[in-house]
Structures are given as C-alpha cells and as structure tokens.
Amino acid sequence: MLQNKNILIGITGGIAAYKIPHLVRLLIKNGANVKVIMSNYAREFVTPQTLSVLSKNEVVTDFFDSNSNWNNHVKLAAWADLIVIAPLTANTLAKMANGLCDNLLMATYLSANCKVMVAPAMDLEMYKHQTTLSNLKKIESFGNIIIPAESGELASGLSGEGRMAEPENITSTIIKYFETNLTFSGKKILINAGPTYEAIDPVRFIGNRSSGKMGIAIADEFASLGAAVNLVLGPTQHLPKNKNINIIKVESASEMHEQCLMFSDSDIIVCAAAVADYKPESIADSKIKKENEVLNIKLEKTVDILSELGKNKKQEQILVGFALETENLLEYAKKKIANKNLDFVVANLANNQAGGVFGSDMNEISIVNKDNKITKFELMTKELAAKKIVNYVVEYTSSKK
Ligand code: CTP
C-alpha cells in the first residue's frame, strides 16, 4: 500500500517515542522506505540503533555525524514524500509554529516541499494549554496535517487527552493520505524501457548495456500515484515492484514498436528504452558458421518509436523522450524536442560521477523543455530521479491548464 513511498520520521523527546520502532515496522511492512531523524532528547527514550536496524537506514540527529560528515537537510527533505513528526512535543510544536531552526529536524522541516504530519503527545494540561492550541492551529494553517492525540492513561499518571495516536492509527492515516492523493488516478500511461536485441541469426543478436532500471523506476512511481501503467520492456532481468503494472515483454525494436502502438492513446508516454538504432538487414535462418576471415553484416535503421508516436501525438497527450548526452545538451535536446514533437527530454549524463548510467542504480539527469529551460539535478538514485521526473510531469501538466 505504501510501495515506493519515502517517509521521513522525526522523533522528538517524549515518552511516546518508545512506540516509534513499532510505527517504523508497520510502515516498512506496508512497503514504505523509511528514514529517521531524532532530536537529542528523543535519544533518551529510544535508541538510534533500534530504529536504524528496523528502518534499514542510518538514523541522524545532528548536522554533523561522528566522522564530521555533513547530514544534508535539503537532501533529506527532497528524499521524502511525507514527513511524520511523532511524537510531537510542545517544544518542537512551538518551533514549527515560529520557524525556529536549532536542530537537523527543524532544518529539514523548513526545507521540505512535501506534506508534513504531526502526532502530538503531551500531558493533559499541556495539550489543553492556549499556547498549544494556538500553535496547533497555526501549523495547521501552514498546511500541516495534525493526527490528534488520543485519550487514555498518560505518563504523569493522569488520564485524558494527550496520548500520541497509536502507531496503527498513524499508519492508517498515512495510507489514507496517499490513497486520496493519487495524482494520476484514472490516467493511462505508457512507458518503454530496457534495451532491444536485434537478431543476427537464431543464436546471436546486437544489443546494448541498458538495464531498464530508470524506466522501471518511472513505471513504479506513476503506478504508486494511481496510474494504469503499461510497461513495454526489452530484455532485462529487472522488474518493477508494483504488481499493478501491466508488463509487456518484447525483444526487438520492431516488437517494441508494435506493442507501443497498442497504447498510443495513453495520456502520458515516456520513452526511456535504449532502442537499437540499427538492425541486421536480414536474419540468417541458421547459425552463421565461422567460414570467412571477415564477416560483413549489413545494418538498416530501425523504426524510431518515439518519432512515430510524436507524429500521431494527441492534443492533450504528454510525450517524453530520453537522451544520452556527453556534450551540447541544450542544442541536441532542442533538436530532439522539435524533430520528435516532444514535451520535454530527460537527458542522462553519460559520464556521471557514479561511473556511467548503464546498469548503475544512480543517475544524473537534466530536463529540457520546449521553452529551452534546463532543470539540472544532482547525482541521485534512479528511484529518486524517477520521482523528480514524475513531479516535473505534474508541474508541467498544471502549467498547461
Ligand atoms: N528512440 C526510439 N526509437 C529508436 C531510437 C530511439 O524510440 N529507434 C527513443 C529513445 O527511447 C529515447 C530517444 O529516442 O527516448 C533517444 O533519441 P535518439 O534520437 O535516438 O538519440 P540518442 O540515442 O540519445 O542519440 P543520437 O541522437 O546521437 O543518435
């Protein structure tokens, strides 16, 4: 239910912090990726080690870790699809209401574009205090979502409202939030990904090193936002995580073309495949024997799937192409957008700092749109790059309205 969702949990210093390992487990069980930031006081109630083991990620508290590495709050905020601050103490609430920035959690909160949910936990009178009530109202007016405290026995021994919502209730609020915010619900999306294999004879082919990971990550991201995704996938061992994606396995460029045409009425089309540009003019019926010193294989151009889709592009349809460039990014991208009738081009930097894009889990992308505007992104995982590309589609679509 939470597949592909990046949830950043901020734990502040209240006794209810002991329930957060359980919350982390529930979120992970539902498929989410979880990272945790703890305030200094939170560490008095629950250990970072426990949370690190459960979340399978490093847990951070300070701007610098013990090796003097900088914990980048902007990166953490950009990673998150949702920030959940639980338990939320009166102190952190007051900081959120007034923009105080004295720790990593607050810096991350202030840097975030995504939604923020808070689960307050306070003692009876504290929760009812005018300041608390007015601060809660204030942060709600900023767009934050409050998961109200529940009634019951409190740490002080008193009984009443102030207990942090149970992890099960926080989890169901999170699931409901994502279900009702499915940006692409009702939308049909076509993605092609992976390499193509062009047969030379029954046992040999011309192929390329594409793993398909980037296109697969885009398919997963769209599906997690409610889209009906058809993924036309060339030969690769990688598969999307989301079980709702319709996968059509193909081998050659012409098979990929044929299958893509079946979904050419999609609302959004993303051509991420590394389609072979040339194929053998004819395929030998039987295995070619090594009889001659030199073997010439005559190649002919394959069909340009993206161009074909561009020629028949519908008015409202969004068509996105990919490009692998080493230089003159803008010049080539501009040409591609015009020649292939695209809305925008995602350019992979061929020689990124991760040592190249093929097969890697990392990618460094730039997006060039019809107005020649370049949006550059730093080196990031292909999952995160997919989120950036999908967010770009969301912004592009709303700017067209
Ligand atoms: N593409 C396609 N069919 C082809 C070849 C490419 O649909 N036969 C698509 C790819 O999926 C990608 C884009 O076209 O979205 C790549 O554009 P292309 O013009 O092939 O450029 P590059 O491969 O980046 O390089 P070059 O222009 O140097 O050939």
Side-chain angles (χ1 to χ4, degrees):
M1 264 172 287
L2 294 174
Q3 242 124 34
N4 239 28
K5 299 294 174 218
N6 291 347
I7 302 176
L8 182 64
I9 301 198
I11 312 179
T12 67
I15 179 69
Y18 85 91
K19 293 184 177 175
I20 302 305
H22 183 43
L23 174 64
V24 171
R25 256 182 67 78
L26 289 173
L27 295 176
I28 299 256
K29 263 190 174 172
N30 278 285
N33 307 312
V34 178
K35 287 189 182 179
V36 177
I37 302 181
M38 302 178 80
S39 74
N40 261 319
Y41 279 123
R43 298 166 75 107
E44 308 279 327
F45 296 97
V46 62
T47 71
Q49 285 81 357
T50 307
L51 290 152
S52 168
V53 170
L54 292 173
S55 67
K56 303 184 187 80
N57 273 312
E58 196 190 340
V59 172
V60 288
T61 295
D62 295 315
F63 286 104
F64 291 92
D65 66 16
S66 51
N67 300 319
S68 298
N69 295 318
W70 185 46
N71 291 317
N72 187 332
H73 55 276
V74 179
K75 255 192 182 164
L76 278 165
W79 175 85
D81 295 314
L82 176 73
I83 295 180
V84 181
I85 304 184
L88 173 73
T89 56
N91 187 36
T92 297
L93 169 63
K95 290 188 210 173
M96 288 172 75
N98 294 290
L100 256 73
C101 187
D102 64 346
N103 62 19
L104 182 65
L105 175 59
M106 284 310 302
T108 309
Y109 165 70
L110 290 170
S111 310
N113 281 321
C114 66
K115 269 278 169 219
V116 178
M117 280 185 190
V118 298
M122 285 164 223
D123 215 80
L124 195 61
E125 298 305 330
M126 225 177 181
Y127 193 55
K128 281 198 301 203
H129 197 280
Q130 275 305 318
T131 319
T132 306
L133 296 177
S134 111
N135 282 341
L136 280 172
K137 254 200 190 137
K138 198 166 168 189
I139 68 160
E140 203 169 21
S141 76
F142 299 159
N144 297 321
I145 298 168
I146 319 278
I147 307 172
E150 296 173 1
S151 275
E153 197 184 320
L154 299 166
S156 61
L158 296 170
S159 191
E161 225 179 12
R163 277 167 69 114
M164 185 185 79
E166 289 301 327
E168 284 77 6
N169 298 341
I170 298 179
T171 305
S172 61
T173 308
I174 293 172
I175 291 172
K176 211 179 279 164
Y177 164 75
F178 281 117
E179 277 174 357
T180 49
N181 284 277
L182 294 176
T183 323
F184 290 101
S185 152
K187 296 281 179 208
K188 188 172 161 187
I189 296 180
L190 165 66
I191 294 163
N192 67 21
T196 63
Y197 287 179
E198 309 303 327
I200 298 171
D201 69 13
V203 291
R204 303 181 180 96
F205 61 83
I206 299 172
N208 62 67
R209 295 183 200 281
S210 166
S211 64
K213 284 182 188 170
M214 190 64 245
I216 289 171
I218 296 171
D220 263 327
E221 185 58 24
F222 273 119
S224 77
L225 292 169
V229 179
N230 296 296
L231 174 65
V232 179
L233 189 59
T236 169
Q237 80 273 30
H238 301 285
L239 286 172
K241 292 185 204 131
N242 196 303
K243 298 284 170 265
N244 296 325
I245 295 173
N246 178 32
I247 304 166
I248 304 107
K249 285 271 209 172
V250 293
E251 200 166 280
S252 65
S254 69
E255 281 171 22
M256 188 174 270
H257 178 226
E258 199 180 313
Q259 291 303 322
C260 285
L261 289 185
M262 305 274 195
F263 305 101
S264 60
D265 63 342
S266 299
D267 299 289
I268 300 165
I269 301 179
V270 181
C271 289
V275 187
D277 290 325
Y278 292 91
K279 63 175 183 179
E281 202 178 46
S282 61
I283 305 170
D285 291 333
S286 51
K287 190 183 161 206
I288 299 171
K289 301 302 275 177
K290 51 174 183 303
E291 284 159 352
N292 304 320
E293 279 309 307
V294 175
L295 175 67
N296 288 313
I297 299 171
K298 198 165 179 196
L299 303 178
E300 64 179 12
K301 261 199 173 160
T302 55
V303 58
D304 192 317
I305 304 168
L306 185 57
S307 292
E308 290 303 307
L309 292 167
K311 278 182 204 155
N312 300 305
K313 186 171 176 282
K314 292 185 296 170
Q315 180 79 26
E316 295 301 319
Q317 192 172 53
I318 293 176
L319 185 57
V320 181
F322 264 71
L324 186 69
E325 307 290 6
T326 47
E327 56 196 352
N328 302 336
L329 168 69
L330 184 59
E331 194 189 316
Y332 291 138
K334 256 164 60 180
K335 262 194 205 149
K336 224 162 269 185
I337 290 170
N339 294 345
K340 302 195 184 190
N341 194 18
L342 309 181
D343 289 272
F344 60 87
V345 160
V346 180
N348 298 301
L349 199 68
N351 303 311
N352 64 39
Q353 290 163 32
V357 60
F358 284 128
S360 165
D361 289 328
M362 307 296 284
N363 204 0
E364 193 171 334
I365 57 162
S366 292
I367 300 181
V368 184
N369 71 11
K370 274 181 178 169
D371 305 324
N372 303 329
K373 188 175 162 243
I374 307 185
T375 310
K376 284 190 175 176
F377 297 92
E378 55 186 22
L379 185 70
M380 54 180 70
T381 62
K382 286 186 175 169
E383 275 81 16
L384 201 49
K387 282 181 191 290
K388 301 290 177 197
I389 294 164
V390 172
N391 279 343
Y392 195 94
V393 174
V394 174
E395 281 166 26
Y396 181 80
T397 317
S398 56
S399 73
K400 265 179 58 163
K401 278 180 188 158

